[in-house]
Amino acid sequence: MVEAVLDQQAWRSRADAVAWDVRPFVDGALRESHAAERFAVRDPATGAVLHEVAAGDARDVAAAVASARAAFDDGRWSGLGVLTRKALLEAFIDAVVAQAEELALLDSLEIGKPISAALFDAQVLSPMFGRFCVESVDRLFGVVANTEPEVLAFSVAEPRGVVGAITPWNFPLVNAIIKVAPALAAGNTIVLKPSELAAASAVRLARIAVEAGLPPGVLNVVPGLGRTVGQALASHDDVDMLSFTGSTATGRLLMRSAGASNGKPLLLECGGKSPAVVFADADDLGAVARHICAEALHNQGQVCVSRSRVIVQDSIKGALLEALVEAARAYQPGDPLDPATGFGPLASREQWLRARDLILAGASQGHGPVLGDLTALSSHGGADMAPFVFSDLGRDNPLWREEVFGPVIVLESFSTPVQALALANDTAYGLAATVWTRDLSLGQAMARGIRAGEVTVRATAAEYEGPGFVLPQEGRKGSGFGSETGVEGLRSYTTWKKVEFHTARLA
Ligand code: NAD
């Protein structure tokens, strides 16, 4: 987390002074939505209405797509020299960092994200990803084929054209950057539809882009609802690609919309129910438990790769459960605007109710939690939720099977590695996994056997920087498909063309 320079009082004063303006940003300026319907966005920490947003409609989307189409077709972006495009994107990312406090505050207020975490997103994570995309432009190579000397045959990765992007609320700014940076770096133009819960930072981002020198029409943002704006974007015949992050159910709907319209290709980053598998040789169970909690409870558990299923070898089950309960107890909801807060409320009352219903359904089919207060769930009126830990609920229990997207850890035990692998793969999802063992042969077998897009084998809870965004990864099963990282992430936003020159022989 980034150390916030402002204190709680200063953030509160700034929060009171925010001038909310969450309108469509199309062709370089804020516009009025065509839709009359409006909805309120509330601060989940207080329940207070922050501002109202138009629900948006197909006319808003049509205007934004027309703007992106014109900007793509006239070459004001795709026709730029690569050095110029990179310089403009770098200026854009610098401007995001310069306005990180404003951007972080918007995210913090709209979804209750602790301000220190929101600052980390704006000052560290977003620019890190954005800069990786800018650097990757130089690695988008085609190949030259081996041919007769009179033939020159090569492949070129061209931008797809107009990209439609739809994002969720859990990391509003980061999710926006993860779509915008690779799409623009590869030479596309974009229409972004952020989550209805948290659209303010995305609209601000579009303004920052134009102020930083990106031509108008290159980055357009249409706030609004999924069933209005999202649906219209996914069904639009002039959108050349749809890049989505969100739930598996919505992702599958979008596949239908894409198929029923122009057959646009999709990149889908959907839900997860990722495991942390702990073998008996794992070192220092206290450190392991703290690390598992950090991975499962970060952002109040509202993270797609949250390791929310703990799968533990039976000989250490009691010890690990005890350590997990102790570690999870430390996560207590605080005021998101207090820089010392590391754990806030859930993103909305609706998200709280969804998580509550799943917890009650799971508990009613199994038994009570080892940590967590079920009675507090019936009386509570806000969005705060302290962590729950459940053990031995069984593999049919909804808390084992379904993504809660809240602070809930479920634990099951195994005796052999084969059973561990079966439990790890006992899910409709396949995003991520962690395997705790010092036996690297066992770790290798597990890493290759787990059907997920990323697996970390840990002999230690020590923190390393790791590879950043250099390596590609791709969801399995219900978690979607297509890579957003690595050079392959940029490549997702391009399409191959084969070009041949057949030239005359010298006489
Ligand atoms: P969601 O699917 O409800 O909404 C995501 C986006 O889709 C929002 O912008 C929403 O307005 C839009 N949408 C909803 N219905 C639509 C429709 N019918 N047509 C078009 N657009 C529609 O998801 P959420 O609740 O915002 O986010 C939580 C989900 O996102 C979780 O499942 C989580 O795992 C997933 N997620 C995945 C990743 C990843 O990288 N794999 C990252 C973050 C979140």
Side-chain angles (χ1 to χ4, degrees):
M1 285 204 294
V2 165
E3 202 174 321
V5 181
L6 301 170
D7 66 12
Q8 186 176 10
Q9 196 47 49
W11 281 114
R12 178 55 60 200
S13 306
R14 284 198 181 192
D16 293 340
V18 170
W20 297 96
D21 192 349
V22 185
R23 286 180 286 157
F25 191 92
V26 175
D27 201 20
L30 287 162
R31 316 277 172 185
E32 291 308 323
S33 167
H34 294 83
E37 181 189 350
R38 299 180 74 78
F39 63 91
V41 176
R42 290 176 185 275
D43 179 346
T46 62
V49 172
L50 293 168
H51 60 102
E52 286 196 345
V53 184
D57 65 19
R59 291 167 295 178
D60 296 342
V61 171
V65 173
S67 154
R69 170 57 56 197
F72 184 77
D73 286 353
D74 70 12
R76 75 185 82 158
W77 184 245
S78 60
L80 287 179
V82 170
L83 294 180
T84 306
R85 199 197 303 156
K86 284 173 64 178
L88 284 169
L89 285 172
E90 270 161 19
F92 169 43
I93 294 161
D94 288 346
V96 168
V97 176
Q99 298 189 41
E101 287 184 352
E102 290 85 342
L103 290 161
L105 183 58
L106 300 177
D107 281 2
S108 178
L109 289 170
E110 289 194 318
I111 62 154
K113 187 183 275 275
I115 191 69
S116 307
L119 270 177
F120 179 82
D121 288 358
Q123 288 177 338
V124 181
L125 210 48
S126 297
M128 200 194 291
F129 187 83
R131 292 200 170 104
F132 174 77
C133 292
V134 175
E135 287 161 15
S136 298
V137 171
D138 293 328
R139 280 173 271 157
L140 269 183
F141 296 121
V143 292
V144 179
N146 218 352
T147 57
E148 304 100 308
E150 293 78 14
V151 172
L152 174 62
F154 58 93
S155 58
V156 57
E158 295 187 334
R160 289 185 183 273
V162 175
V163 172
I166 301 179
T167 51
W169 43 259
N170 59 340
F171 289 82
L173 178 68
V174 175
N175 285 324
I177 291 276
I178 285 177
K179 301 299 185 197
V180 167
L184 296 190
N188 303 278
T189 57
I190 187 165
V191 177
L192 169 66
K193 181 251 176 276
S195 166
E196 50 272 46
L197 287 188
S201 58
V203 173
R204 181 67 67 94
L205 199 61
R207 288 169 57 181
I208 291 173
V210 167
E211 286 159 15
L214 269 73
V218 168
L219 167 53
N220 307 275
V221 178
V222 184
L225 300 174
R227 66 174 159 78
T228 54
V229 176
Q231 196 49 48
L233 192 57
S235 306
H236 202 294
D237 283 331
D238 214 14
V239 170
D240 297 305
M241 171 190 179
L242 189 66
S243 181
F244 169 75
T245 302
S247 64
T248 300
T250 305
R252 287 183 177 162
L253 262 178
L254 298 183
M255 291 171 86
R256 280 200 227 151
S257 307
S261 55
N262 59 345
K264 54 184 76 63
L266 293 162
L267 191 162
L268 294 186
E269 290 277 356
C270 298
K273 190 77 184 174
S274 299
V277 183
V278 189
F279 284 94
D281 69 340
D283 201 17
D284 187 353
L285 287 189
V288 171
R290 285 190 293 280
H291 202 283
I292 288 176
C293 283
E295 284 190 331
L297 303 176
H298 174 57
N299 209 36
Q300 298 69 248
Q302 304 165 130
V303 182
C304 55
V305 292
S306 161
R307 276 39 161 206
S308 54
R309 292 185 303 136
V310 176
I311 297 167
V312 58
Q313 199 148 24
D314 39 22
S315 59
I316 57 162
K317 178 182 165 192
L320 183 70
L321 188 56
E322 202 175 301
L324 268 179
V325 166
E326 190 187 324
R329 220 190 284 280
Y331 290 74
Q332 294 301 322
D335 175 5
L337 291 184
D338 179 350
T341 296
F343 190 81
L346 298 198
S348 67
R349 179 69 181 159
E350 291 68 32
Q351 183 58 22
W352 188 93
L353 289 169
R354 267 199 292 273
R356 193 262 328 250
D357 290 350
L358 255 177
I359 292 167
L360 292 179
S364 74
Q365 289 173 37
H367 45 78
V370 187
L371 176 72
D373 181 3
L374 290 180
T375 51
L377 292 182
S378 54
S379 55
H380 193 273
D384 283 352
M385 184 179 282
F388 283 82
V389 178
F390 288 88
S391 176
D392 299 296
L393 287 176
R395 293 162 66 170
D396 292 328
N397 192 284
L399 288 176
W400 173 262
R401 306 222 71 83
E402 289 180 37
E403 181 183 45
V404 182
F405 230 54
V408 179
I409 295 172
V410 289
L411 182 140
E412 290 287 328
S413 58
F414 64 90
S415 56
T416 68
V418 170
Q419 289 170 348
L421 186 57
L423 279 170
N425 284 332
D426 182 31
T427 171
Y429 301 103
L431 267 189
T434 303
V435 178
W436 293 88
T437 179
R438 282 177 290 158
D439 177 344
L440 296 189
S441 178
L442 177 60
Q444 145 77 3
M446 291 294 293
R448 297 306 296 264
I450 292 176
R451 293 180 64 197
E454 68 169 275
V455 182
T456 309
V457 178
R458 286 193 167 272
T460 168
E463 289 297 343
Y464 301 111
E465 281 187 357
F469 300 110
V470 168
L471 300 175
Q473 62 198 93
E474 190 164 1
R476 308 284 195 274
K477 301 190 266 183
S479 293
F481 48 81
S483 184
E484 293 206 299
T485 52
V487 180
E488 288 76 0
L490 224 60
R491 219 166 248 156
S492 300
Y493 292 90
T494 66
T495 179
W496 287 115
K497 179 177 281 176
K498 180 181 78 164
V499 180
E500 293 185 34
F501 286 80
H502 292 216
T503 57
R505 291 205 168 122
L506 291 181

